[in-house]
Amino acid sequence: IEMIILQVGSWYWYVVMLLICALNVEAVHITLNQAKSEGKKSMIQYRKITELIAGRLKPKEAYLFYCLALKSDFITNESYITQDSLAKFYGIKDVDQISKWLYEFQSKGLLTIVKYKVKGQYGTFRKCKYILNAEHYNLISDLLKEEPISRQLKGFLILLKCKCLNGTNTTKFSQNQLAKELGISTGAISQYMKDAIDNAYVSKNEKGIHLLREDIFLKAKTEFCKVKPAKPKEKLVILMD
């Protein structure tokens, strides 16, 4: 009888220990998931988008400007990305269209294109550096890039942010006024607004139109933001056209 009691007692403590181990594993799993989630939040990158794009760029072009900004240095506003890589990052195969837009950006005073030579092991190569205009900028995070909406709607949201009051995510412009300010038809503005409201990016009331995603559109420039380390500068040889 004593041996049976001892065996039952041993099994009891064995089961108890298994349950404790299982709970510890689950706790570790939850902690790791929380750490991953916090890590993702802490790695959010922000870039400066000049308000000057509003009225000068259409939504698709505004989104390209944003993509180029994501591939630029936060401090210097310089990007060394190739047009092939930028086209892929933007989401199209037409590199010529990307090149056309970039030169249009330059003609509109939104960036400067610097051509230079790089000497390498296999010869000398021509490359471009893009210096983005950051005058009167807003801070927009890289979270917008992965949002499950069209490039056009992303570009519209970026342009909408550029028309918000300083330090806010609110614009007092009506939809008809926005159409004039952005150079977009009233029909297109109505469709963009409908899509933005349906997808919970925007709300509208008597006080104005409001951007809702503060994790994407920062209200104030003084808010904390992660800064990507600057890329080491290359030796430049300026080409005179």
Side-chain angles (χ1 to χ4, degrees):
I1 293 173
E2 291 179 354
M3 288 186 64
I4 292 173
I5 293 173
L6 287 172
Q7 287 178 353
V8 171
S10 298
W11 277 106
Y12 170 79
W13 288 111
Y14 177 71
V15 171
V16 169
M17 292 300 295
L18 285 177
L19 288 173
I20 291 173
C21 289
L23 289 172
N24 286 336
V25 169
E26 182 63 23
V28 170
H29 180 69
I30 292 171
T31 302
L32 287 173
N33 285 338
Q34 289 175 342
K36 287 180 181 178
S37 177
E38 291 174 0
K40 288 180 180 178
K41 292 179 182 177
S42 67
M43 291 302 293
I44 295 174
Q45 298 279 341
Y46 294 91
R47 286 297 180 270
K48 293 176 280 190
I49 304 297
T50 177
E51 295 176 357
L52 299 178
I53 66 172
R56 302 186 191 186
L57 301 184
K58 301 302 182 185
K60 280 186 177 181
E61 299 167 344
Y63 181 61
L64 176 63
F65 190 88
Y66 163 77
C67 287
L68 181 59
L70 289 182
K71 292 298 183 180
S72 71
D73 183 274
F74 182 86
I75 303 298
T76 66
N77 306 309
E78 297 177 356
S79 176
Y80 293 85
I81 191 172
T82 66
Q83 292 179 7
D84 286 341
S85 297
L86 182 58
K88 184 177 181 180
F89 188 66
Y90 178 75
I92 65 173
K93 296 181 179 179
D94 191 350
V95 179
D96 290 338
Q97 181 62 68
I98 296 295
S99 178
K100 179 182 177 181
W101 278 337
L102 290 174
Y103 279 96
E104 286 180 1
F105 294 173
Q106 179 171 240
S107 69
K108 294 175 180 178
L110 301 175
L111 60 76
T112 301
I113 301 175
V114 179
K115 297 179 180 180
Y116 63 97
K117 294 179 181 179
V118 175
K119 293 183 178 180
Q121 182 179 357
Y122 300 103
T124 301
F125 303 92
R126 292 171 177 263
K127 300 186 74 174
C128 289
K129 175 177 72 170
Y130 306 98
I131 307 172
L132 281 69
N133 186 338
E135 183 181 358
H136 305 302
Y137 67 85
N138 290 294
L139 290 175
I140 302 178
S141 81
D142 59 355
L143 295 178
L144 181 61
K145 178 71 172 61
E146 302 304 323
E147 290 296 305
I149 54 177
S150 68
R151 291 190 292 271
Q152 292 96 317
L153 185 53
K154 291 176 183 178
F156 170 73
L157 293 173
I158 292 167
L159 293 173
L160 184 60
K161 172 62 177 175
C162 292
K163 302 309 293 184
C164 287
L165 298 170
N166 288 338
T168 76
N169 279 340
T170 297
T171 180
K172 297 293 186 179
F173 288 115
S174 67
Q175 288 187 199
N176 287 337
Q177 289 172 327
L178 275 177
K180 293 179 180 179
E181 289 287 324
L182 300 179
I184 302 174
S185 70
T186 54
I189 289 289
S190 296
Q191 186 61 55
Y192 287 136
M193 283 295 299
K194 180 181 183 304
D195 293 343
I197 292 171
D198 289 347
N199 287 280
Y201 292 102
V202 167
S203 67
K204 182 181 176 183
N205 57 27
E206 67 280 357
K207 294 183 179 180
I209 298 172
H210 315 279
L211 287 164
L212 301 178
R213 292 288 300 276
E214 293 183 19
D215 56 332
I216 294 177
F217 304 101
L218 266 69
K219 285 186 176 180
K221 297 173 186 177
T222 55
E223 292 185 49
F224 173 78
C225 62
K226 282 284 184 180
V227 178
K228 185 178 180 180
K231 178 179 178 180
K233 293 183 178 180
E234 298 178 85
K235 185 177 180 181
L236 306 184
V237 179
I238 307 299
L239 298 177
M240 303 300 293
D241 292 334

